[in-house]
Structure formats: structure tokens, C-alpha cells
Amino acid sequence: MNKYYLAALFAAFGTRSAALLSALAHFEDAAAAYMAPPEAWLAAGLEEKEVNKFIAKRDFAYPDRLKNFCEANGVSILTPEDEAYPYSLKQIAAPPQVLYVKGSLPDLRGSIGIVGSREATAYGIKAADAFAADLAAMGVVIVSGGAKGIDTAAHRGALAADGTTVAVLGCGIDIAYPAANKTLFKQICASGALVTEYPPGTPPMAQNFPARNRIINGLTHGILVVEAAKKSGAMITAEYAMEEGHEVYCVPGSIFGGSSIGCHSLIKSGAQLVDCPEDILQSLKMARTPQQPVLFNSGEDEETDDNAKALLKVLSFEPLSLEEILEKTGLGLAEAGMGLLDLELRGKIAQTAARSYYLL
């Protein structure tokens, strides 16, 4: 029960309150602190303004409600004193004192974080999905932030390979953000976990996400950045990783767009450029076994006819109009149309609303 009082205290004072952490040393335990009178808090070194704010919002029934919520929803609370608390997370600056976990937190040795833009391109989505799938198939746990774009692609890629993935949330564990990922979060919990330092009911406020990123770094041994603006959450995560001495890997992107400016900047600063999952596996000192299916491939197979092969040679993750395709391939309209339809039905390409085509 004591950890529910501890969680209640951090919910009241703030998840990263250094003042609270210092003051707790003056009390027998978290329960005694939560129930203590104002003068005891003042004697513990807190400023009167902070004490008055806590006393005004203190709800003596909250720890019990929190316990009931956790038990009813399959949520556990971990503190740094718990054996199950990830060792690597203890090593970061300001590790979370309360960690809410839904699902089963896996063995995180050799885990990789995959982060990137919410407004990802088709190229970025494909890269994140492919890297996550191949790494997860090798037993690497994929950790990401549950957001739309690159995060979602990473989680989906890991699950598609029957791998394990962990989503670190910037809100309460009872809130699906984005709402479109509600089903995805349930799938993640089946073999991995959702984790957050924020108490139930906490909305996904902007200031929560930079702090969330330090936890992604703390749960992993390297960060893969797939598409990132110069100033973005992905860059914050990479900077945390560099500060902690973790490896940072970057997927290069087009020099003609802004979606990979952050990745290129990181590469210039010493991050490792990777263009296939083997680069990361070698860094982690893991070798692909011969029996392992290759999920990261070019998309060609023996069933692809000559017209489709000609189309695949000119198509990329940057959309091409039908006119550009005809010009680059030399195919007739009927030949190109049949080839594009075949490739689209087989899930190798897709088209935009403006009828431009790109690789998946």
C-alpha cells in the first residue's frame, strides 16, 4: 500500500519534484508523509507555499482509489526499489520515482528505441516498420512513444514480426493518445507493455513529452531516429541518448525535403548512419541466423512480371505522377496501368489522392 501513497504524493507535487524527493527522507515512509500535518512538511524543508498548495489539494481517499484503479485495470506501480524496475532506467538523470506499467515489462537488455516525426512520409513509415520488424524478429525489444507517424509504424512493425514492443506514454495510462491507437495499445499489452510516469487521468499536455523522451532513452541501449525536424521530440530523445553515452543511429533521407534534416544533423555530429537492420544488429553484437526470414527487402519476387519490374525500378518512396512514370519507364498507358494495379493489389505500392504512386 505504501507505493500508492508514494504515487499519490508525486501526483500532487509533480512527477519530477526534487523537493518532494528530498523531503521524503524526513518521514518514516510515504504513507506517513502523505498523512503528515503542515508543520511536519515545513520541518522537512519544504517552502510554506508548496506545503499550503499540497494541503489544499490533498485527498485522503486518493491512495485507495488509485489502488482500486490499478487492480481493476491490470496496472502495476514500480519504484526504483522494486526488483522489476529496469536497471538501465535507474542510471539516467532524474529517473521516474513512480512508473505505471500495463502489461508485462520485458527483459530490456539489447532493446532499441525508434523515434521520429509524427508527420512522417511514406518513406519514413516504411523504414520504421521494416527496421522494427527485422529487429523484433531477432528478439530485440522495440521501444517507442506511441504517437502517430514513426512511433506507430515502429510498434506495428514489431507486432507484425511477433516481436515485443513497449510504448512510453506522455499521459495517464488510462488515456489512449492518439485515440486512433487504442486498439494498437491493447495489442502492445498482450506481449509487451505501456508505461508512463504520469498518474491516471493526466491529459497529453505538450510539456509532458520531452520528459517522456528521457524514459524512452532509459529503457533502451540505443536510439534509432527515422525522420526528424531540426527541433523535435525525436532530437530531444537522441540528445538524451548521447548525454547518457548510448548509441544513436539515423536513417538518411532525401536532401530535397525537410523531413530528415534532424537525422542528417545528428549524422554530422557523430551518430551512426544505418541503411539496414544488420548495421544495428552488428552494433549490438547480434548476428542474424540463417533461418531468420528477411523482412527488410526490396519488394521484388519471382512472380513480378517485366512491366512490374520496370515500374519498381523507377518508383520510390517519393510519389511519382502517372505521366512521370510513363516517361521514366517507356511503358504504354495500358501496360503501366495493369502493372500499377497488380503492384497495388499485392500491397507493394500505394497512390495518393492526386493519383501519384509510391513504394510501401
Side-chain angles (χ1 to χ4, degrees):
M1 187 65 196
N2 192 60
K3 66 174 56 179
Y4 296 106
Y5 280 99
L6 182 67
L9 284 167
F10 277 100
F13 280 92
T15 57
R16 293 172 302 284
S17 174
L20 171 61
L21 191 59
S22 175
L24 282 173
H26 296 265
F27 296 95
E28 180 180 352
D29 56 26
Y34 195 82
M35 306 298 289
E39 55 268 24
W41 281 103
L42 291 171
L46 283 185
E47 295 182 2
E48 185 175 359
K49 181 179 179 181
E50 290 181 288
V51 173
N52 291 339
K53 184 178 179 181
F54 166 61
I55 297 300
K57 67 192 301 187
R58 179 170 56 180
D59 179 353
F60 290 111
Y62 180 71
D64 280 317
R65 289 204 308 274
L66 183 58
K67 180 177 183 291
N68 292 336
F69 165 84
C70 290
E71 291 177 348
N73 292 278
V75 175
S76 58
I77 291 179
L78 295 179
T79 71
E81 287 71 39
D82 291 318
E83 185 177 346
Y85 190 95
Y87 175 79
S88 60
L89 193 56
K90 295 180 185 180
Q91 310 310 307
I92 68 170
Q97 297 301 303
V98 173
L99 197 65
Y100 298 85
V101 180
K102 186 171 185 176
S104 300
L105 201 59
D107 184 343
L108 293 162
R109 287 173 293 184
S111 56
I112 287 292
I114 299 182
V115 298
S117 175
R118 285 178 168 82
E119 305 302 327
T121 66
Y123 165 78
I125 295 294
K126 177 66 175 179
D129 180 277
F131 268 91
D134 237 20
L135 292 170
M138 278 299 299
V140 176
V141 176
I142 302 301
V143 181
S144 195
K148 70 175 185 174
I150 297 301
D151 289 10
T152 293
H155 293 306
R156 292 192 188 283
L159 293 172
D162 293 324
T164 303
T165 184
V166 174
V168 184
L169 308 180
C171 56
I173 207 149
D174 56 331
I175 295 176
Y177 178 78
N181 279 357
K182 185 175 183 178
T183 299
L184 175 63
F185 292 158
K186 290 181 180 179
Q187 294 170 341
I188 290 172
C189 288
S191 60
L194 303 179
V195 303
T196 182
E197 67 179 326
Y198 298 105
T202 303
M205 296 178 289
Q207 63 265 31
N208 294 352
F209 293 95
R212 180 276 310 266
N213 294 338
R214 86 189 193 287
I215 299 178
I216 294 177
N217 175 57
L219 294 177
T220 60
H221 295 273
I223 295 293
L224 172 64
V225 185
V226 185
E227 292 192 330
K230 187 74 172 180
K231 294 182 178 180
S232 62
M235 292 293 286
I236 292 173
T237 309
E239 288 164 4
Y240 276 130
M242 288 179 168
E243 289 173 2
E244 301 290 345
H246 295 179
E247 289 289 345
V248 175
Y249 312 97
C250 291
V251 175
S254 171
I255 63 172
F256 298 108
S259 61
S260 293
I261 289 177
C263 292
H264 297 163
S265 174
L266 288 169
I267 291 169
K268 291 176 183 177
S269 299
Q272 182 178 339
L273 184 154
V274 293
D275 56 17
C276 64
E278 282 77 7
D279 292 337
I280 296 176
L281 292 173
Q282 289 173 8
S283 176
L284 294 174
K285 296 181 172 55
M286 296 176 67
R288 184 195 295 280
T289 60
Q291 297 81 10
Q292 179 60 43
V294 179
L295 301 177
F296 195 88
N297 56 56
S298 64
E300 282 197 34
D301 55 53
E302 294 180 357
E303 297 180 1
T304 305
D305 63 24
D306 290 341
N307 289 339
K309 287 179 179 177
L311 290 165
L312 287 172
K313 286 181 180 178
V314 303
L315 288 169
S316 70
F317 299 106
E318 298 293 333
L320 287 178
S321 68
L322 181 58
E323 291 76 14
E324 290 172 318
I325 292 171
L326 294 177
E327 181 181 348
K328 289 177 179 290
T329 61
L331 294 174
L333 180 60
E335 294 172 322
M338 290 298 293
L340 289 168
L341 178 60
D342 176 52
L343 291 173
E344 193 169 1
L345 289 173
R346 287 198 279 148
K348 295 182 179 296
I349 67 170
Q351 62 173 301
T352 67
R355 291 202 66 192
S356 292
Y357 298 84
Y358 59 90
L359 289 178
L360 287 176

